[in-house]
């Protein structure tokens, strides 16, 4: 079965600085990969997804992620963080069926003024 | 706007009581899911349904029950058998049942014990 690891529980960055959130997955085949964002007390919102093709995918809110098969990684990046980006971010990997989706434990992002 | 509506936003349960969490979607999605979220953990799948009148247990189904009588509705009952029900519950739906179908989430219900 597939699994996801987000090595960083909590990250703090200054507003305007660049951001990279790490995600490592384990899956035997080409994975379906997702990044979601969750604001406090709310549900998850899809930022971007990767299925195949170009390994650099663009998402909403200025986020992008790069799939690196050799490193089993799917890191999320943003060139310049805004205070409104403070939230929890979840990486997920989908299996053959959608009920096999596995979520990482999340990375909480704090943005300093 | 299409979306998923969960109600209530906050719910309190007494000992020995069953409570039901509502989930309604107007996205015309076939598949629906219930997840449990605990602090510092990812989402864990409780139940899922790929079609009306059919549902399957997820990883942590014990102490929970569901029904899927209508395509747009997938209520979750937390029974008295669930000894640690305090958590944030998220309902989701997807257009397809394959692994490539992104899931769309409601805003959750926070359940606490009185």
């Amino acid at each position: 079965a597939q699994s996801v690891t987000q090595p960083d529980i909590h990250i703090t960055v200054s507003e305007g600085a660049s951001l990279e959130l790490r995600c490592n997955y384990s899956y035997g085949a080409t994975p379906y990969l997702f990044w979601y964002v969750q604001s406090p007390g709310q549900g998850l919102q899809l930022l971007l997804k990767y299925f195949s093709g170009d390994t650099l995918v663009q998402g909403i809110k200025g986020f992008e992620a790069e799939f690196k098969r050799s490193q089993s990684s799917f890191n999320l990046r943003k060139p310049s963080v805004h205070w409104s980006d403070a939230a929890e971010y979840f990486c997920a990997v989908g299996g053959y069926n959608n009920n096999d989706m596995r979520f990482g434990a999340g990375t909480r992002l704090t943005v300093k003024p | 706007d299409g979306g998923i509506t969960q109600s209530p936003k906050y719910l309190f349960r007494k000992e020995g009581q069953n409570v039901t969490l509502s989930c309604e979607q107007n996205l015309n999605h076939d598949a629906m899911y219930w997840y449990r979220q605990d602090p510092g953990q990812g989402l864990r799948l409780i139940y899922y349904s790929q079609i009306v009148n059919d549902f399957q247990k997820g990883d942590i189904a014990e102490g929970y029950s569901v029904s899927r009588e209508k395509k747009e509705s997938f209520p979750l009952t937390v029974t008295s058998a669930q000894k640690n029900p305090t958590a944030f519950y998220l309902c989701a739906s997807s257009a397809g049942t394959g692994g490539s179908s992104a899931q769309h989430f409601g805003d959750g219900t926070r359940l606490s014990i009185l």
Side-chain angles (χ1 to χ4, degrees), chain B residues 2 12-14 16-19 22 32-33 43 59 64 70 74-75 77-78 80 82 89 92 95 99 102 108:
Chain B
F12 298 91
R13 196 191 87 170
K14 296 179 181 178
Q17 185 182 44
N18 294 350
V19 292
S22 171
M32 297 187 74
Y33 314 82
L43 279 63
D59 299 321
Y64 301 96
K70 298 186 296 183
F74 191 41
T77 296
V78 183
S80 57
Q82 172 50 244
Y89 291 87

Side-chain angles (χ1 to χ4, degrees), chain A residues 6-25:
Chain A
Q6 293 181 248
D8 305 305
I9 296 174
H10 183 208
I11 283 182
T12 299
V13 300
S14 298
E15 190 168 15
S18 63
L19 171 70
E20 183 169 27
L21 302 181
R22 296 184 292 164
C23 172
N24 295 102
Y25 69 90

Side-chain angles (χ1 to χ4, degrees), chain B residues 13 36 60-64 78-86 89 113:
Chain B
R13 196 191 87 170
R36 171 177 171 141
I60 57 165
E62 186 175 350
Y64 301 96
V78 183
T79 74
S80 57
Q82 172 50 244
K83 297 307 179 187
N84 183 25
T86 298
Y89 291 87
I113 294 295

Side-chain angles (χ1 to χ4, degrees), chain A residues 32 34 36 38 41-46 49 51 88 90 94-106, chain B residues 9 33 35 37 40-43 45 48 50 59 88 90 94 96-103 105-107 110:
Chain A
Y32 303 116
F34 307 84
Y36 289 87
Q38 183 181 35
Q42 295 189 8
L44 277 66
Q45 181 184 21
L46 180 68
K49 57 189 178 184
F51 301 152
E88 187 138 24
F90 291 91
Y96 181 78
N97 296 308
N98 213 352
N99 55 282
D100 292 332
M101 185 171 288
R102 292 293 179 262
F103 291 82
Chain B
K9 192 168 180 64
Y33 314 82
Y35 289 94
Q37 185 178 24
Q41 300 190 34
L43 279 63
L45 184 64
Y48 64 97
Q50 296 179 338
D59 299 321
F88 192 53
L90 287 162
S94 64
T97 57
S100 61
S101 293
Q103 296 185 15
F105 287 83
D107 281 341
R110 187 167 299 281

Side-chain angles (χ1 to χ4, degrees), chain A residues 35-85:
Chain A
W35 273 101
Y36 289 87
V37 60
Q38 183 181 35
S39 297
Q42 295 189 8
L44 277 66
Q45 181 184 21
L46 180 68
L47 287 174
L48 48 79
K49 57 189 178 184
Y50 170 80
F51 301 152
S52 63
D54 192 349
T55 56
L56 185 63
V57 294
Q58 302 298 320
I60 62 172
K61 304 185 179 186
F63 285 93
E64 65 179 25
E66 186 172 12
F67 170 61
K68 292 185 177 180
R69 184 186 301 275
S70 61
Q71 299 178 19
S72 298
S73 69
F74 188 56
N75 294 351
L76 182 71
R77 301 194 294 244
K78 187 169 185 178
S80 177
V81 170
H82 188 261
W83 64 266
S84 60
D85 293 325

Side-chain angles (χ1 to χ4, degrees), chain B residues 38-81:
Chain B
D38 294 284
Q41 300 190 34
L43 279 63
R44 292 183 290 168
L45 184 64
I46 303 172
Y47 268 98
Y48 64 97
S49 169
Q50 296 179 338
I51 196 169
V52 174
N53 292 321
D54 184 62
F55 49 83
Q56 305 295 329
K57 293 181 179 180
D59 299 321
I60 57 165
E62 186 175 350
Y64 301 96
S65 66
V66 294
S67 63
R68 186 87 185 275
E69 298 177 0
K70 298 186 296 183
K71 185 175 185 177
E72 58 269 24
S73 179
F74 191 41
L76 173 75
T77 296
V78 183
T79 74
S80 57

